[in-house]
């Protein structure tokens, strides 16, 4: 009798709210009594209905579908990693219940239309080759590139984002995760872009540009000094109490830096989401991973990156895990992460990635010379500066240094 339902994949499982009609209340699947008076044996009763009672007659329904969509959608219980979850009932071949906000749908439709208009066929809601990941938008790029566009407008844990990216990576997908929150846990955790949080009505108008504010990196290298290209020393931690303190070490750095923090940034990058997606599908932008941080590089700079660092080494595959999410607020994909498994709140902004650094001492010292090309010796008193004049003892010195020691 349970053979007529479509079992959700691990990635489609969430902490859905579930309403038990006989008790007239939502169940708390984290409690032994399910939050119902005298409910210690209720779980066994519900599980005992398997194979005997049709799913639609077990009394479990989705409260959000009832309240928001005015639909009675039956639910059933499944267990993953020792956690009980409620899933929407659907027959084999039926599409999953839509859990997407209007803004989420608008982003998918916009990217799919823009990709088609630029010659790259796009499919909405497409499965990866291994069947474990459902792509919001699959874009068929050049030279066999398969691009997956994934707008993510709700908070999620870094662990959950890595697991979801793992499904796609193992399916040969180049993912573009689109975040609106600058502090989202997925920033840097997965290949990403960050765009403004715009209403669906604005996103759907193709003439409206959607700027890319983060996720696109460039390669820079220079001396770490006041008049150099680097805006601050990449080895010096940012001090929020003193944000204008740049600090320079005098060494030499090769770094990957977000465009909006680069020396060439003039205030507006000009890069739009449409341009980024089209260039990524064409292979003109390449995803990279360095020290656990992900981003995108222009193709020519990607080659410089490989020349300097060797072939990219992928991070180890993560074991599939249940997609965590708290569905107590809304029946939508755009929901906050589960409080039960959420990670400590921390700031997840983009950062400069150091590829190579050398101390000032390791570089060839610049020896000062006089008009005839002769080297100018250093001051005898140890100030470290060249001194052209000789003192009474015939040794190079500065008058000011002798005066200080007098």
């Amino acid at each position: 009798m349970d053979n007529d339902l479509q079992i959700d994949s691990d990635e489609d499982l969430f902490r859905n709210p579930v309403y038990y009609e006989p008790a007239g209340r939502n169940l708390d699947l984290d409690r032994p009594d399910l939050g119902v008076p005298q409910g210690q044996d209720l779980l066994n009763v519900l599980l005992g209905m398997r194979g005997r009672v049709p799913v639609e007659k077990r009394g479990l329904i989705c409260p959000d579908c009832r309240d928001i969509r005015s639909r009675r959608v039956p639910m059933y219980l499944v267990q993953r990693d020792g956690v009980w979850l409620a899933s929407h009932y659907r027959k084999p071949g039926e599409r999953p219940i839509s859990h997407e906000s209007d803004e989420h749908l608008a982003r998918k439709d916009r990217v799919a239309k823009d990709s088609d208009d630029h010659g790259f066929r796009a499919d909405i809601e497409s499965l990866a080759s291994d069947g474990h990941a459902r792509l919001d938008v699959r874009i068929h790029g050049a030279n066999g590139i398969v691009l997956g566009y994934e707008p993510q407008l709700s908070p999620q844990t870094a662990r959950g984002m890595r697991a979801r990216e793992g499904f796609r990576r193992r399916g040969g997908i180049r993912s573009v995760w689109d975040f609106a929150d600058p502090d989202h846990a997925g920033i840097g955790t997965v290949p990403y872009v960050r765009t403004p949080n715009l209403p669906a009505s604005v996103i759907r108008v193709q003439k409206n540009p959607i700027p890319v504010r983060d996720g696109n990196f460039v390669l820079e290298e220079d001396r770490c000094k006041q008049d150099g290209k680097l805006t601050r020393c990449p080895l010096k931690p940012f001090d929020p109490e003193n944000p204008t303190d740049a600090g320079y070490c005098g060494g030499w750095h090769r770094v990957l830096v977000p465009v909006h923090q680069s020396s060439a940034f003039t205030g507006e990058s000009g890069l739009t989401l449409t341009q980024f997606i089209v260039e990524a599908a064409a292979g003109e932008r390449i995803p990279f991973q360095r020290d656990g941080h992900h981003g995108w590089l222009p193709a020519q700079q990607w080659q410089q990156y490989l020349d300097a660092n060797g072939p990219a080494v992928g991070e180890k595959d993560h074991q599939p895990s249940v997609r965590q999410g708290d569905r107590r607020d809304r029946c939508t994909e755009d929901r906050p992460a589960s409080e039960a498994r959420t990670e400590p709140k921390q700031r997840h902004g983009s950062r400069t990635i150091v590829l190579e650094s050398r101390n000032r001492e390791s570089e060839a010292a610049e020896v000062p010379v006089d008009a005839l090309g002769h080297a100018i010796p250093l001051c005898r008193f140890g100030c470290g500066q060249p001194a052209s004049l000789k003192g009474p003892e015939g040794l190079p010195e500065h008058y000011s240094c002798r005066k200080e020691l007098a």
Side-chain angles (χ1 to χ4, degrees):
M1 189 171 293
D2 286 352
N3 295 329
D4 65 339
L5 60 85
Q6 178 72 45
I7 303 297
D8 286 331
S9 66
D10 285 349
E11 198 189 39
D12 291 324
L13 287 175
F14 301 99
R15 284 177 173 258
N16 295 303
V18 56
Y19 182 84
Y20 186 50
E21 291 177 310
R25 66 175 64 194
N26 284 6
L27 300 183
D28 187 348
L29 299 181
D30 293 329
R31 294 176 54 176
D33 63 356
L34 303 185
V36 177
Q38 312 300 322
Q40 286 78 4
D41 297 325
L42 179 57
L43 180 60
N44 292 331
V45 171
L46 294 172
L47 297 180
M49 295 182 183
R50 292 177 172 177
R52 297 189 303 107
V53 179
V55 175
E56 59 268 22
K57 294 184 179 181
R58 296 176 189 175
L60 300 177
I61 66 170
C62 174
D64 289 346
C65 290
R66 177 199 61 192
D67 298 338
I68 299 175
R69 300 177 175 86
S70 299
R71 292 176 53 192
R72 184 184 183 276
V73 179
M75 305 189 79
Y76 62 94
L77 301 181
V78 294
Q79 189 181 44
R80 291 291 188 275
D81 298 337
V83 177
W84 284 104
L85 304 165
S87 188
H88 295 80
Y89 168 72
R90 56 191 174 98
K91 294 182 179 180
E94 290 184 347
R95 295 184 62 180
I97 299 294
S98 176
H99 307 307
E100 300 171 336
S101 66
D102 196 26
E103 290 77 14
H104 187 103
L105 292 170
R107 287 173 183 264
K108 294 197 311 182
D109 293 341
R110 170 69 180 272
V111 166
K113 289 179 181 177
D114 287 345
S115 299
D116 283 332
D117 289 348
H118 286 82
F120 297 109
R121 182 167 62 88
D123 303 319
I124 296 178
E125 295 295 332
S126 174
L127 285 174
S129 59
D130 59 2
H132 287 98
R134 189 180 70 251
L135 307 181
D136 281 336
V137 182
R138 174 196 289 265
I139 302 167
H140 302 266
N143 301 318
I145 294 175
V146 179
L147 204 65
Y149 173 69
E150 308 289 341
Q152 185 62 62
L153 304 181
S154 67
Q156 298 292 329
T157 64
R159 176 186 177 186
M161 294 301 304
R162 283 192 292 266
R164 295 171 66 185
E165 169 62 16
F167 286 124
R168 289 155 177 77
R169 187 177 60 252
R170 287 187 289 273
I173 309 297
R174 286 188 182 180
S175 300
V176 181
W177 294 89
D178 184 3
F179 304 112
D181 181 4
D183 291 332
H184 197 287
I187 289 182
T189 304
V190 293
Y192 74 102
V193 293
R194 181 169 62 83
T195 57
N197 189 11
L198 301 172
S201 58
V202 174
I203 296 172
R204 284 198 168 95
V205 178
Q206 286 185 274
K207 292 182 179 180
N208 290 335
I210 304 175
V212 171
R213 292 179 172 172
D214 195 6
N216 187 37
F217 286 67
V218 292
L219 184 68
E220 287 195 344
E221 52 185 285
D222 199 11
R223 287 285 298 273
C224 187
K225 55 185 180 179
Q226 183 71 37
D227 57 348
K229 291 193 300 183
L230 303 179
T231 57
R232 62 177 296 108
C233 179
L235 300 180
K236 185 174 182 179
F238 175 75
D239 182 5
E241 302 296 330
N242 190 12
T244 60
D245 179 26
Y248 299 93
C249 69
W252 181 94
H253 305 294
R254 179 186 292 122
V255 298
L256 295 174
V257 59
V259 169
H260 66 279
Q261 298 176 9
S262 68
S263 61
F265 185 64
T266 59
E268 290 293 338
S269 65
L271 181 65
T272 66
L273 180 60
T274 299
Q275 179 185 350
F276 182 92
I277 292 295
V278 170
E279 292 180 355
E284 297 173 9
R285 294 186 184 274
I286 312 295
F288 73 87
Q289 183 226 336
R290 175 78 179 195
D291 297 335
H293 197 90
H294 294 256
W296 291 81
L297 275 172
Q300 66 273 20
Q301 297 209 358
W302 167 252
Q303 188 57 51
Q304 297 178 33
Y305 173 85
L306 292 182
D307 292 343
N309 301 277
V313 179
E315 61 180 344
K316 65 178 182 179
D317 290 342
H318 297 276
Q319 294 299 320
S321 63
V322 175
R323 187 180 181 186
Q324 302 300 324
D326 187 345
R327 295 286 291 284
R328 296 186 177 91
D329 295 330
R330 293 180 62 193
C331 182
T332 168
E333 184 175 273
D334 305 316
R335 66 201 163 283
S338 168
E339 295 178 0
R341 295 191 177 189
T342 190
E343 299 176 352
K345 178 66 175 177
Q346 56 181 328
R347 194 170 182 85
H348 288 272
S350 59
R351 61 182 175 88
T352 297
I353 303 167
V354 181
L355 300 178
E356 182 182 359
S357 291
R358 294 201 305 266
N359 293 330
R360 184 167 33 185
E361 291 76 12
S362 63
E363 299 182 358
E366 298 181 1
V367 179
V369 295
D370 58 21
L372 299 178
H374 300 146
I376 301 176
L378 300 180
C379 174
R380 60 174 295 202
F381 294 111
C383 70
Q385 299 298 318
S388 302
L389 300 178
K390 295 182 179 180
E393 293 85 0
L395 298 176
E397 63 178 45
H398 296 117
Y399 174 77
S400 57
C401 294
R402 170 180 286 276
K403 187 176 181 181
E404 288 178 2
L405 296 176

